[in-house]
């Protein structure tokens, strides 16, 4: 961890420094048909390691497992769900995006980024990366066993660490709930832009179909033949502009998906991994410590009863077991403090990511400005072509005036 001189508990990273650690791309490779099932493969490319390797979903699963085993007190992001029967392209694309978010969060996490497991996953091009990962994880214990500061973690913690932990957890829970709602609204906005694109394209095609209609006019309408012919020609030509409008709307929707929704999802994945870490702390090391203390108390009472009944061998056995249990409790206590130490650093890391909010809002505003600007240009180019659709007196073609121009109140 990059830490200032003094208290090693405190981090000194900025968001830009974290983002600059690496950018990893995850792209789908066309499916390869196996004997019974189709297998999806991904090309995983790292800027930092200048590498490009092929990985399957199960490779990500093993990487996630060994990472969690080695760093049980850190934020390890969750993986997307396994493939289900009849998975469609939308599911596969959603999982690709989620895997990309996962590996980027891991690659930018300070302890993970310096660990051999990450380098193996991103750069090993051999045939069995899963075996290599398991082999590397078995060689050493978890972070508690390898960290020089683990035994002294308590010395660096503030006296009110439990209160701070409870407050941070509540704050991040509230932030998560708000960002979850923001993400849902951003998804709806992007989806509306894509739906708008489809509607504009169909609108233009219908105009083109109307303009291409070859049904002959009845004899009584022969006087209007030239007018109808001009109208059809104009309608047919408008489909090009509407296709362009549809393309601009689709581009805006995709841009909002990539630049806004995905960044919101990335931040939500980080916040969810923090919530999961808090649960692991409470249900894992803290629970084990409390259970060990309870057993220790029972054993002490048993020893006192045995001593009162004058059974020397029984007393000696209990004393041996109590010493053993005291050692276990001491280790549990050290792990509990180290877990809180890591939690404190992970909380700081979440706060380092908070300025990502301004990046997301900036991307959203820029997308709206650019999208409306491009759409406005196409609409303005389209307007002069409408003039031939409106015939005024003496064959002068005049488009209809707006209510304001005619002096009519719009209400």
């Amino acid at each position: 961890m990059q830490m200032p001189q003094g208290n090693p508990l405190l981090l000194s990273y900025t968001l830009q420094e974290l983002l600059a650690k690496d950018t990893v791309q995850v792209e789908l490779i066309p499916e390869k048909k196996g004997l019974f099932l189709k297998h999806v493969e991904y090309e995983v490319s790292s800027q930092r390691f200048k590498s490009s390797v092929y990985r399957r979903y199960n490779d990500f699963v093993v990487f996630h497992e060994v990472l969690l085993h080695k760093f049980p007190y850190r934020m390890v992001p969750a993986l997307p769900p396994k493939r289900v029967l009849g998975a469609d392209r939308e599911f596969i694309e959603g999982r690709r995006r989620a895997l990309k978010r996962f590996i980027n969060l891991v690659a930018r996490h300070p302890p993970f980024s310096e660990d051999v497991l990450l380098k193996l996953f991103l750069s090993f091009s051999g045939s069995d990366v899963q075996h290599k990962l398991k082999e590397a994880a078995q060689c050493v214990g978890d972070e508690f066993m390898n960290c020089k500061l683990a035994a002294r973690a308590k010395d660096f913690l503030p006296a009110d660490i439990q209160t701070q932990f409870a407050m941070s957890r509540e704050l991040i829970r509230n932030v998560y709930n708000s960002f979850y709602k923001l993400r849902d609204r951003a998804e709806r906005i992007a989806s509306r832009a894509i739906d708008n694109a489809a509607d504009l394209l169909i609108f233009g095609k219908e105009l083109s179909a109307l303009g291409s209609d070859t049904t002959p006019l009845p004899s009584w309408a022969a006087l209007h033949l030239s007018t109808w012919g001009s109208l059809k020609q104009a309608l047919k030509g408008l489909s090009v502009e509407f296709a362009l409008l549809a393309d601009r709307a689709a581009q805006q929707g995709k841009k909002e998906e990539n630049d806004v929704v995905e960044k919101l999802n990335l931040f939500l994945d980080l916040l969810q991994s923090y919530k999961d870490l808090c649960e692991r702390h409470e249900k894992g090391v803290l629970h084990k410590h409390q259970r060990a203390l309870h057993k220790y108390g029972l054993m002490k009472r048993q020893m006192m009863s045995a001593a009162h009944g004058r059974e020397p061998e029984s007393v000696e056995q209990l004393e041996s077991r109590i010493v053993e249990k005291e050692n276990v409790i001491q280790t549990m206590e050290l792990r509990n403090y180290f877990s809180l130490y890591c939690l404190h650093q992970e909380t700081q890391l979440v706060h380092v990511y908070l300025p990502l909010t301004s990046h997301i809002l900036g991307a959203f505003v820029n997308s709206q400005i650019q999208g409306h600007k491009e759409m406005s240009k196409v609409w303005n180019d389209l307007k002069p072509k409408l003039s031939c659709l409106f015939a005024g007196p003496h064959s002068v073609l005049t488009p209809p005036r707006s209510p304001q121009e005619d002096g009519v109140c719009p209400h």
Side-chain angles (χ1 to χ4, degrees), residues 66-328:
V66 296
L67 205 60
L68 200 53
H69 173 75
K70 191 169 184 179
F71 297 98
Y73 311 125
R74 301 289 182 182
M75 294 186 295
V76 180
L79 285 175
K82 289 180 72 70
R83 186 175 184 174
V84 294
L85 290 175
D88 54 15
R89 288 184 180 180
E90 187 178 352
F91 171 83
I92 292 171
E93 171 59 16
R95 193 171 70 174
R96 181 198 69 80
R97 288 173 178 262
L99 290 173
K100 181 181 176 182
R101 297 194 302 270
F102 163 80
I103 195 61
N104 275 285
L105 284 172
V106 170
R108 293 163 181 169
H109 189 284
F112 303 162
S113 64
E114 304 305 321
D115 195 80
V116 65
L117 293 175
L118 177 71
K119 186 175 181 181
L120 265 174
F121 186 79
L122 291 177
S123 61
F124 179 72
S125 56
S127 58
D128 194 358
V129 69
Q130 295 183 25
H131 175 72
K132 272 284 185 184
L133 288 167
K134 290 175 182 176
E135 189 178 60
Q138 286 171 356
C139 294
V140 291
D142 66 6
E143 188 184 9
F144 172 79
M145 297 175 68
N146 292 284
C147 179
K148 294 178 181 178
L149 298 174
R152 297 190 296 123
K154 181 181 179 181
D155 299 338
F156 303 108
L157 292 173
D160 61 341
I161 182 63
Q162 295 291 355
T163 304
Q164 287 192 28
F165 169 55
M167 290 172 63
S168 296
R169 192 175 184 184
E170 181 64 23
L171 169 65
I172 289 171
R173 185 187 292 116
N174 293 338
V175 171
Y176 177 89
N177 291 338
S178 293
F179 269 84
Y180 189 89
K181 294 172 184 175
L182 286 171
R183 192 277 314 273
D184 282 356
R185 293 298 158 179
E187 278 184 338
R188 291 178 64 177
I189 291 169
S191 179
R192 280 200 295 270
I194 293 170
D195 289 344
N196 187 35
D199 290 339
L200 285 166
L201 190 62
I202 292 171
F203 195 93
K205 285 180 177 178
E206 290 302 321
L207 288 176
S208 180
L210 188 60
S212 303
D213 184 69
T214 56
T215 306
L217 285 172
S219 57
W220 58 265
L223 291 174
H224 304 286
L225 182 60
S226 60
T227 304
W228 177 234
S230 299
L231 283 171
K232 286 205 300 181
Q233 192 63 32
L235 291 172
K236 191 175 180 181
L238 292 178
S239 63
V240 176
E241 275 72 23
F242 276 94
L244 195 57
L245 285 166
D247 180 64
R248 295 289 185 271
Q251 284 181 21
Q252 183 176 350
K254 291 295 181 186
K255 190 173 179 62
E256 286 167 357
E257 279 185 349
N258 294 326
D259 295 347
V260 181
V261 176
E262 272 307 289
K263 285 180 180 175
L264 285 166
N265 278 326
L266 179 83
F267 193 47
L268 282 171
D269 288 351
L270 178 78
L271 295 174
Q272 183 62 54
S273 68
Y274 181 84
K275 291 170 67 180
D276 295 341
L277 176 61
C278 292
E279 282 195 23
R280 284 204 306 275
H281 170 75
E282 288 190 336
K283 295 180 180 178
V285 64
L286 184 62
H287 177 68
K288 287 178 182 176
H289 184 222
Q290 290 170 344
R291 192 170 58 185
L293 285 173
H294 176 67
K295 286 185 178 179
Y296 176 71
L298 291 175
M299 289 172 67
K300 289 282 280 186
R301 286 195 292 274
Q302 283 178 7
M303 191 185 77
M304 291 176 69
S305 299
H308 183 70
R310 297 180 181 179
E311 299 173 4
E313 291 182 5
S314 177
V315 171
E316 190 176 328
Q317 288 175 355
L318 274 171
E319 283 178 344
S320 176
R321 286 172 59 193
I322 285 171
V323 170
E324 184 182 334
K325 181 58 71 175
E326 284 174 345
N327 291 333
V328 170

Side-chain angles (χ1 to χ4, degrees), residues 378-389:
V378 180
W379 283 118
N380 284 323
D381 290 343
L382 174 64
K383 190 175 180 181
K385 298 182 181 181
L386 300 179
S387 57
C388 60
L389 297 177

